[in-house]
Amino acid sequence: MGHEQADSNVNYLNWEKGFMSWWMSIDHKRIGLMYLASMIFFFVIGGLLALVMRTELATNSLSVLPNTDMYNKAFTLHGVIMIFLFIVPGVPATLGNFLLPLMLGAKDVAFPKLNRLSYWIYVLGSFMAFGAIYYGLDTGWTFYAPYSAKNATAVLYATSAAFTLGFASILTGVNFLVTIHKMRAPGLTWDRLPLFVWTTYATALLQVIATPVIGITLLLLFLENSMQVGIFRPDVGGDPVLFQHLFWFYSHPVVYIMILPAMGIVSEIIPVFSRKPIFGYKAIVWASVGIAAISFLVWGHHMFVAGMADWTRYIFSFLTFFVAVPTAVKVFNWVATMYKGSVSWESPMLYAMTFVFLFLIAGTTGIHLATLATDAHYHDTYFVVAHFHYTIQGGAVIGLFAGLHFWFPKMFGKMYNEKVARIAWVLLFVGFNGTFIPQFVLGMQGMPRRYATYEPEFQTLHSVSTFFAFFNGIGYSLVLINLAWGAVFGKKAPNNPYHSLGLEWQTQSPPVHDNFDTIPVVTEWSYGYGAPEGGGAH
C-alpha cells in the first residue's frame, strides 16, 4: 500500500504545505475532510435554495420569484444538489473515509490512490452538474420521463453529472469492502467489529450493487434525449413507467446508503454516553444487513398510483411494512442500551437522540404511504415532502451532525463550544419540527407538492412552515460556524475526551499520518462499558 512521503510522527492536518499537498494526498483522513468541505459547500447552496422556495410559499401568489418556471428550476436544483452532491456521498465519503481505517486499526484504506481518484471524480461530476444549472434544469431531481426525455441540453448535463458521480460512489464502495475484509487489525474478528463498520459494510454493498442500475438508467435517458430511440418516450414507442421502475429500483436502496451509516453513528454514540454495553449487538448487525437486503424489494411503493396490477401492489405494500421490522429492532436496542444507564446529555448524545425521535416520525408516517388506500390520497402531496425530509434531513443529516460533534476532537484535535452547540441544537430541533409538521397537515388537506401558488386556505400553514424554516436555517448556520471556529480557535482536545473504548480513540488527536505508531492488537470488545476491566485494544 503506497503513501506519499510524510513524517509519520506529524499529524495528518499539517496545513503548511499548502493546497496541492491536500489535492494530491492519498491519506484517507485528508480525503474525508476534502469530501466534507465540498459537501458542506453544496449543503449551504441547497439550503439557501430551500429558503428561497419557502419564502415564495409564505404567500399564495408569486412574490419573490418572477414566474413559476423559475420556481421549478429552484426546487429542481435544491433536490439535485442535496441528493447527488450532498447526502448520497454523505456519511460514507466523509466520516466513513476518515474513520474506517482508524476503527479497523489500519494505516489507510486498501486502495489509497483509488480513494483519491473517487474524490477527483466527485469534483468533476459536481462541475458537470453546474452545467445543468446554467441551462435551467427543471425536471425535478427524479428526472421523470417523458418530460426529461424532451428537455435536451439541461438533462444531458444533469444525467452526465449523475452518471459520473456514480463512479465515485462505486469506487468508494469497492474500496471499503476490500478494506473491511483485508485490513482489520489482529484480533478484530467479525464479531468484534464496531457497528459503524458494519453499517458502512452494508452501505458499501448497496453502493456496488445498486449504483450501476441508475448509471444504466441515466445512460438510456441520455440516449433518449440525444437520439430519440424510443425507450421512455411513448410518442416514439417507449414506456415512461419503465423509467420509474429503473429509477426507484436504485433510489430506494439509496435511501439506506444515506441512513445506514447514520444508524451506525448512533450505535457508536449511545453506549459511550450511557456508559453501558450496546444491547443486542448481533441483532443490530443482522438488522443492518437485513435492511440492506429488503431495500431492493420495495421500490414499487413509489408507484402505487402508476397503474401496476393489484396483486403487485399488495406484495410491495407488505414488503414495505416488513422493512420496518429490522429498523424497529435497532430502535428497541438503542432504548434498551440507555435503560438504567448513566446517561450524559452532551451535544453528540442530543443529536443521536434527535435522530431516533425524528426517524421514528419518518417511519410511522411511512406506514401511511405503504398503505394502498391512504397512499392514493397522500401521493404527490406535502405529506410526502414532510415524510421525505423527516427521513433524509431528520435521519441522514442529523446523523451526520451527531457524528461530526462526536468525532470532531479526533478529527481536528480541538474542542468546539459545547454551550453554542446546545443552543444550535435547540434551534434546529424547534425549527425542523416547526417547518415540517405543518406540511403533514397540508398533505392531509390535499395540498399538492411542486406548486408555487396555491388556494388561500393553505396560506396559514405555509406561513408557519416558512417562519420555522428560518429558525432551521439559523440553527444549521450556528452549527457550521461553531465547528469551523472550533477547528481553528478551539482549545486543545484530549486524545479521548469522551472516554470511548473504540479503537479510533486509542491514537492521538488529531491522528498521526499512519494513524498508529504500531498496528494495535485487539483483545476486547469495544462496547464493554461498565465491565470491571473495560475493553478496547492493547
Side-chain angles (χ1 to χ4, degrees):
M1 180 174 64
H3 286 270
E4 68 267 29
Q5 293 298 314
D7 184 351
S8 62
N9 294 317
V10 176
N11 76 65
Y12 79 99
L13 291 172
N14 194 19
W15 301 102
E16 297 176 1
K17 293 186 178 180
F19 170 77
M20 286 306 298
S21 71
W22 280 70
W23 180 253
M24 298 301 296
S25 176
I26 54 174
D27 188 328
H28 68 97
K29 301 180 289 299
R30 286 188 166 193
I31 292 170
L33 277 196
M34 288 192 291
Y35 264 117
L36 180 62
S38 303
M39 287 189 288
I40 291 297
F41 171 74
F42 293 123
F43 177 67
V44 171
I45 295 175
L48 290 173
L49 285 167
L51 290 178
V52 169
M53 288 187 291
R54 283 284 6 134
T55 304
E56 180 61 76
L57 291 166
T59 60
N60 69 324
S61 59
L62 288 172
S63 56
V64 176
L65 297 171
N67 51 54
T68 54
D69 286 342
M70 188 62 71
Y71 180 82
N72 291 343
K73 292 173 183 177
F75 81 69
T76 297
L77 296 180
H78 167 71
V80 168
I81 289 170
M82 287 300 203
I83 296 296
F84 292 106
L85 300 182
F86 173 62
I87 203 60
V88 169
V91 177
T94 56
L95 292 178
N97 250 315
F98 188 93
L99 292 170
L100 186 63
L102 287 166
M103 288 185 160
L104 296 176
K107 290 185 176 182
D108 209 316
V109 293
F111 307 114
K113 291 182 180 179
L114 196 66
N115 199 23
R116 178 178 62 188
L117 178 63
S118 72
Y119 176 70
W120 288 354
I121 291 173
Y122 168 80
V123 173
L124 173 62
S126 303
F127 279 112
M128 294 169 69
F130 276 89
I133 294 172
Y134 176 79
Y135 285 103
L137 185 69
D138 64 352
T139 61
W141 73 273
T142 55
F143 310 121
Y144 265 10
Y147 180 60
S148 62
K150 300 177 181 179
N151 195 342
T153 306
V155 171
L156 289 176
Y157 272 100
T159 52
S160 299
F163 185 83
T164 302
L165 291 165
F167 280 100
S169 185
I170 293 170
L171 293 178
T172 299
V174 169
N175 217 340
F176 285 1
L177 289 174
V178 177
T179 301
I180 294 169
H181 275 273
K182 297 296 185 180
M183 305 289 289
R184 302 192 307 275
L188 188 57
T189 54
W190 287 97
D191 58 353
R192 287 178 177 170
L193 279 184
L195 291 167
F196 180 73
V197 174
W198 271 113
T199 55
T200 302
Y201 185 81
T203 301
L205 288 172
L206 292 176
Q207 288 175 302
V208 172
I209 297 171
T211 308
V213 177
I214 194 64
I216 293 168
T217 306
L218 294 174
L219 180 61
L220 292 175
L221 184 59
F222 186 98
L223 294 174
E224 186 75 302
N225 259 289
S226 56
M227 301 180 185
Q228 292 80 49
V229 293
I231 303 169
F232 303 126
R233 285 177 54 176
D235 58 324
V236 287
D239 181 4
V241 177
L242 173 62
F243 179 87
Q244 292 190 41
H245 278 291
L246 293 171
F247 181 86
W248 289 116
F249 183 79
Y250 160 78
S251 293
H252 201 84
V254 84
V255 170
Y256 293 102
I257 292 176
M258 308 170 195
I259 294 297
L260 276 169
M263 291 178 167
I265 289 169
V266 171
S267 298
E268 296 296 331
I269 291 173
I270 289 177
V272 173
F273 291 94
S274 300
R275 310 314 301 174
K276 276 185 63 184
I278 189 75
F279 181 88
Y281 170 87
K282 289 185 179 179
I284 296 178
V285 169
W286 283 109
S288 299
V289 177
I291 288 171
I294 299 170
S295 70
F296 283 102
L297 306 176
V298 297
W299 80 91
H301 69 227
H302 294 275
M303 304 170 58
F304 283 156
V305 298
M308 65 174 64
D310 284 345
W311 66 270
T312 310
R313 294 192 296 162
Y314 300 152
I315 292 172
F316 278 123
S317 179
F318 170 77
L319 290 171
T320 304
F321 283 119
F322 188 68
V323 78
V325 175
T327 305
V329 167
K330 287 175 175 279
V331 174
F332 284 125
N333 286 359
W334 293 330
V335 173
T337 301
M338 290 187 292
Y339 179 64
K340 292 188 176 180
S342 180
V343 179
S344 173
W345 295 104
E346 296 171 69
S347 53
M349 188 64 165
L350 291 174
Y351 279 101
M353 286 297 93
T354 301
F355 170 91
V356 176
F357 176 76
L358 297 180
F359 198 72
L360 276 173
I361 294 176
T364 51
T365 55
I367 291 172
H368 298 279
L369 300 175
T371 304
L372 298 178
T374 51
D375 181 73
H377 174 65
Y378 292 145
H379 184 80
D380 261 346
T381 70
Y382 263 83
F383 192 95
V384 177
V385 176
H387 164 74
F388 183 79
H389 282 83
Y390 266 90
T391 304
I392 303 306
Q393 190 180 154
V397 179
I398 293 298
L400 173 61
F401 277 41
L404 287 177
H405 282 81
F406 181 51
W407 283 294
F408 184 89
K410 182 57 57 180
M411 297 170 76
F412 296 99
K414 302 284 185 69
M415 296 297 293
Y416 51 82
N417 188 305
E418 177 67 19
K419 183 177 180 180
V420 174
R422 295 186 185 197
I423 293 171
W425 170 79
V426 171
L427 288 171
L428 270 179
F429 187 83
V430 173
F432 177 83
N433 287 289
T435 301
F436 293 105
I437 287 175
Q439 294 184 24
F440 281 124
V441 181
L442 283 168
M444 292 175 185
Q445 294 177 351
M447 170 70 200
R449 59 178 172 169
R450 302 191 178 119
Y451 280 73
T453 60
Y454 50 85
E455 296 300 318
E457 59 263 31
F458 298 129
Q459 180 165 323
T460 299
L461 287 171
H462 268 300
S463 297
V464 171
S465 181
T466 297
F467 174 78
F468 281 102
F470 280 90
F471 273 84
N472 202 31
I474 293 169
Y476 279 121
S477 300
L478 194 57
V479 169
L480 297 178
I481 291 169
N482 187 35
L483 294 181
W485 182 92
V488 179
F489 302 108
K491 66 179 182 180
K492 182 175 172 59
N495 287 342
N496 191 356
Y498 303 123
H499 307 291
S500 170
L501 299 178
L503 195 57
E504 75 275 17
W505 292 100
Q506 310 310 314
T507 185
Q508 74 174 49
S509 299
V512 295
H513 180 266
D514 286 334
N515 297 337
F516 301 92
D517 294 327
T518 58
I519 297 297
V521 177
V522 178
T523 59
E524 299 287 345
W525 194 43
S526 64
Y527 300 102
Y529 300 99
E533 299 300 326
H538 300 286

